[in-house]
Amino acid sequence: MVSGVVQGSVLGPILFVLFDNDICDLASLGVTIKLFADDTKLYYVFDNAMSPDCLQSCLSAISAWSDHWQLKLAPLKCTVMHVNSSANRDTNQNYSYHTGELIIHSVNCFTDLGFSYDDKLRFKPHIDQMVTKASLHAKLILKCF
């Protein structure tokens, strides 16, 4: 059975939101889910009493939901980023999250909606990329003269 909505149609985005909106009901206590088009972001604030298992149980529930509704996840596009200050490095970074049987790889820098940021929520990677691009354009302009 094929499921989903027709891409490129006027009603496509609305129907897709209606289709996947119940993912938000799968959130465990403390886990926040943000949906934007076909992207889903989960985040969780850890303290000493909380464990990464809460976030993993939410990931497992979403994986089971997607299997049930025949909506394929793209686990190779999934990443984990631990956001914290350098003074607050903890052992939760060694926890490996997974969807189904695939382990989700951890990253130190992430690009979302065209903006790059690092694990301290600084935009230095984005700024460096824009400066490099501007420098290349400036060199091309100078070369023309």
Side-chain angles (χ1 to χ4, degrees):
M1 176 181 222
V2 177
S3 61
V5 296
V6 178
Q7 284 187 319
S9 67
V10 175
L11 290 176
I14 294 170
L15 293 174
F16 188 79
V17 167
L18 291 173
F19 184 74
D20 78 338
N21 199 36
D22 59 338
I23 287 178
C24 295
D25 297 336
L26 302 174
S28 306
L29 184 63
V31 176
T32 304
I33 298 180
K34 299 291 184 185
L35 301 174
F36 180 77
D38 62 347
D39 289 337
T40 302
K41 297 190 184 12
L42 306 174
Y43 62 89
Y44 188 72
V45 178
F46 292 103
D47 61 12
N48 293 336
M50 301 296 184
S51 76
D53 294 326
C54 189
L55 192 56
Q56 178 56 56
S57 67
C58 191
L59 284 170
S60 298
I62 289 174
S63 182
W65 178 89
S66 70
D67 289 343
H68 174 75
W69 292 108
Q70 300 175 3
L71 185 64
K72 297 282 185 196
L73 293 178
L76 297 177
K77 292 183 178 179
C78 298
T79 57
V80 172
M81 187 166 74
H82 299 275
V83 178
N84 52 23
S85 65
S86 58
N88 190 20
R89 301 274 177 195
D90 58 1
T91 58
N92 289 334
Q93 289 190 13
N94 298 326
Y95 190 89
S96 58
Y97 297 96
H98 58 87
T99 57
E101 300 196 11
L102 290 173
I103 294 176
I104 302 173
H105 66 281
S106 183
V107 296
N108 294 329
C109 179
F110 186 73
T111 302
D112 186 31
L113 299 175
F115 291 96
S116 300
Y117 50 92
D118 63 11
D119 58 357
K120 295 178 186 73
L121 294 181
R122 294 180 302 190
F123 291 99
K124 185 175 179 351
H126 184 75
I127 293 167
D128 291 344
Q129 182 182 15
M130 292 297 110
V131 167
T132 301
K133 203 177 207 182
S135 176
L136 286 173
H137 284 115
K139 287 177 186 176
L140 284 173
I141 292 170
L142 286 174
K143 190 177 180 179
C144 291
F145 294 108

